[in-house]
Amino acid sequence: METSVLKVDPTNPESDVIGRAAAVIRSGGLVAFPTETVYGLGAKGLSAEAVAGIFNAKGRPSTNPLILHVSDASEVLNVAADWPATAQTLAARFWPGPLTLVVPKRDSVPHIVTAGGPTVAVRCPNHAVARALIRAAGVPLAAPSANRSTELSPTHAGHVLKGLNGRIAMVLDGGRCSGGLESTVVDVTGEIPRMLRPGLITVPMLEAVCGRVEVGAKSEGVARAPGQMAKHYSPRTPLALCATPTDALTSAARARAQGQNAWIMAPDSKEFDQLDEGADILSALPERYGAELYDVLHMIDGAEHDIVFVVLPPDTPEWAAVRDRLTRAAARE
Ligand code: AMP
Ligand code: MG
């Protein structure tokens, strides 16, 4: 299959471009499109056959459920059997935006979307292209990140093509994603909301509007959230996590002394003031670091490093999403 790449204005999407993409979706095809988190790979979300195409193109295990994207909160009742008060509160505050809510599913949602489970994940993205495409398609879009399963998420159209060129019908190229990390996922089916995946919306931000939030998957819930597989978001180059800048500098020096091509990736700090090569130094601000992360990891994968020593940022709520992605990126299986 030839993948067509269409440029689209990220703030004022051209209606003819959106119309062409929506026609592909309506005919059961796959279109990658920009959101404020990462590029999504969209298909008609209520068609089991179209959604099967997503699993096929990504090589995604069928145990890993998908998020349904709506263009407006009023559309959730087409896919959710119940819309708890907490869902309403969180959606009112954070939608459109990088927050996914897990709620009981309606019968109209095919089992393939939810990995056979009784709940469905829904999100209203805050990106003009994503919302225009959902509206024009006239149905919620199932849309995981537009990459091969377990590989790095895409934050621009070039990343999408690296993994999926020839496997999908179309890419809408709307430039870079501003957020750069996948959405926060919160299960609101229980008494107390539970954050299943950290993202740009942090626990303190959630707790400010809905009170206490629990963190992490319940142990009996098998793969309730796809991003919970240990190995995920992974570059091909081995990553070794380090607690401090000094650890990374020492380990890299040792590896180089043994003839290895070692590299460092870290948030900016004074230890790196003197360093002018051998490292990617990212922002010391969590949001900016998050926006740069996948692009840097894609570049690292394009270089010939034997190993990359990655300095973990502090263990605070603002850095939780970044630490989560780095930990999974470093996991080997
Ligand atoms: P991605 O492949 O990045 O789009 O990830 C999809 C995300 O959706 C996963 O990380 C899960 O956290 C979440 N998800 C989708 N459906 C469900 C569900 N029914 N229950 C819990 N989490 C879900
Ligand atoms: Mg993904």
Side-chain angles (χ1 to χ4, degrees), residues 209-263:
V209 292
C210 70
R212 186 158 74 87
V213 169
E214 290 177 334
V215 174
K218 285 206 199 102
S219 48
E220 77 271 22
V222 182
R224 290 200 78 185
Q228 286 170 13
M229 296 176 313
K231 179 179 173 193
H232 208 126
Y233 317 116
S234 303
R236 293 183 188 87
T237 315
L239 306 182
L241 300 181
C242 301
T244 66
T246 309
D247 283 355
L249 288 163
T250 314
S251 302
R254 194 181 308 128
R256 285 172 186 145
Q258 290 167 1
Q260 282 193 303
N261 177 351
W263 196 256

Side-chain angles (χ1 to χ4, degrees), residues 9-223:
D9 185 318
T11 49
N12 272 311
E14 299 81 353
S15 53
D16 57 321
V17 176
I18 296 296
R20 282 177 65 187
V24 171
I25 297 275
R26 280 196 302 270
S27 71
L30 305 182
V31 176
F33 60 96
T35 80
E36 79 278 31
T37 61
V38 302
Y39 271 74
L41 179 60
K44 249 191 319 197
L46 302 184
S47 155
E49 205 183 334
V51 171
I54 294 179
F55 284 88
N56 190 29
K58 284 182 60 94
R60 180 176 176 110
S62 61
T63 49
N64 200 354
L66 302 177
I67 297 169
L68 289 182
H69 294 72
V70 295
S71 65
D72 190 272
S74 61
E75 293 157 27
V76 292
L77 291 176
N78 299 328
V79 298
D82 183 26
W83 190 239
T86 323
Q88 181 56 36
T89 309
L90 289 171
R93 170 66 184 82
F94 295 112
W95 280 8
L99 177 68
T100 296
L101 296 169
V102 173
V103 291
K105 87 172 193 71
R106 258 188 198 281
D107 290 344
S108 56
V109 178
H111 291 292
I112 187 170
V113 170
T114 65
T119 59
V120 63
V122 276
R123 175 168 107 83
C124 178
N126 185 19
H127 192 293
V129 173
R131 296 177 75 191
L133 180 61
I134 301 164
R135 263 196 306 273
V139 284
L141 297 190
S145 53
N147 52 278
R148 300 299 298 269
S149 185
T150 81
E151 295 184 2
L152 291 170
S153 296
T155 55
H156 65 71
H159 294 160
V160 176
L161 290 171
K162 239 163 76 172
L164 296 175
N165 197 11
R167 304 182 69 86
I168 63 177
M170 187 178 283
V171 181
L172 290 181
D173 179 357
R176 281 177 192 277
C177 301
S178 58
L181 292 179
E182 299 80 1
S183 60
T184 305
V185 178
V186 178
D187 181 345
V188 288
T189 58
E191 194 126 314
I192 298 170
R194 178 174 282 275
M195 184 177 75
L196 301 177
R197 175 173 75 180
L200 295 167
I201 312 260
T202 64
V203 167
M205 289 163 76
L206 295 167
E207 289 190 331
V209 292
C210 70
R212 186 158 74 87
V213 169
E214 290 177 334
V215 174
K218 285 206 199 102
S219 48
E220 77 271 22
V222 182

